[in-house]
Amino acid sequence: MTPFDRPPVGMNLARTSKVVAQAFDAAMAEAGGTLPVWLTLLSVKSKELANQRELAGMIGIQGATLTHHLNAMEAQGLLTRRRDPENRRVHQVALTESGEALFEKLRLAAVAFDKRLRAGIPDDRLVEFAEMLAMLRANAGGI
């Protein structure tokens, strides 16, 4: 068997990633959100107050892109931003009651999606898969 008898790992992983990401996006949309909204709500919720710079880093996007998302989410009443009294250049971000409600709705959708994705896969195989993904990230030069 030669390496060309099956798709390269990277190509297979990229195709799978795209399909899973699209399905997750659809699950978030069905629950009334988007991936950026979910990641923002999750990041803010996981830290009581996060500043915008930290938040962008946690989500993996640029500050300007985050500002666009935060402006929209603030206009929708999902979060508030206020200047940090210790450093006026920094905004602190917090969820509103509506943001908390959407977070819970999206959390349930994410948990259901994860359950669907794991269906029929034994726990020991999932552990092995997580280890394999970590090795692939390391081999690709990621963390």
Side-chain angles (χ1 to χ4, degrees):
M1 180 176 283
T2 70
F4 300 105
D5 291 337
R6 59 180 169 248
V9 172
M11 186 168 66
N12 197 0
L13 183 61
R15 288 175 40 210
T16 301
S17 173
K18 184 175 182 177
V19 168
V20 171
Q22 288 172 338
F24 188 70
D25 286 344
M28 289 292 101
E30 189 175 311
T34 64
L35 180 60
V37 168
W38 166 240
L39 292 175
T40 301
L41 294 173
L42 180 62
S43 296
V44 173
K45 183 77 171 168
S46 68
K47 296 179 84 174
E48 280 189 39
L49 284 178
N51 71 51
Q52 287 186 212
R53 183 176 301 128
E54 292 172 346
L55 197 52
M58 288 167 44
I59 295 172
I61 60 177
Q62 298 294 318
T65 303
L66 177 64
T67 299
H68 170 75
H69 290 303
L70 292 178
N71 286 343
M73 292 174 72
E74 191 171 31
Q76 294 168 9
L78 299 174
L79 55 82
T80 60
R81 290 182 286 180
R82 65 179 177 86
R83 296 234 183 244
D84 184 332
E86 311 243 338
N87 182 350
R88 304 277 304 148
R89 293 179 296 165
V90 173
H91 283 93
Q92 295 178 327
V93 182
L95 300 184
T96 63
E97 194 172 308
S98 295
E100 293 279 354
L102 183 58
F103 169 81
E104 187 57 25
K105 193 173 180 184
L106 295 179
R107 185 188 70 77
L108 292 173
V111 167
F113 180 81
D114 190 61
K115 185 176 180 181
R116 186 178 98 204
L117 206 56
R118 294 168 174 252
I121 305 172
D123 287 344
D124 61 328
R125 297 287 307 275
L126 289 169
V127 169
E128 183 181 352
F129 180 62
E131 291 168 351
M132 188 68 62
L133 288 174
M135 285 192 278
L136 290 170
R137 275 193 307 275
N139 290 347
I143 296 175

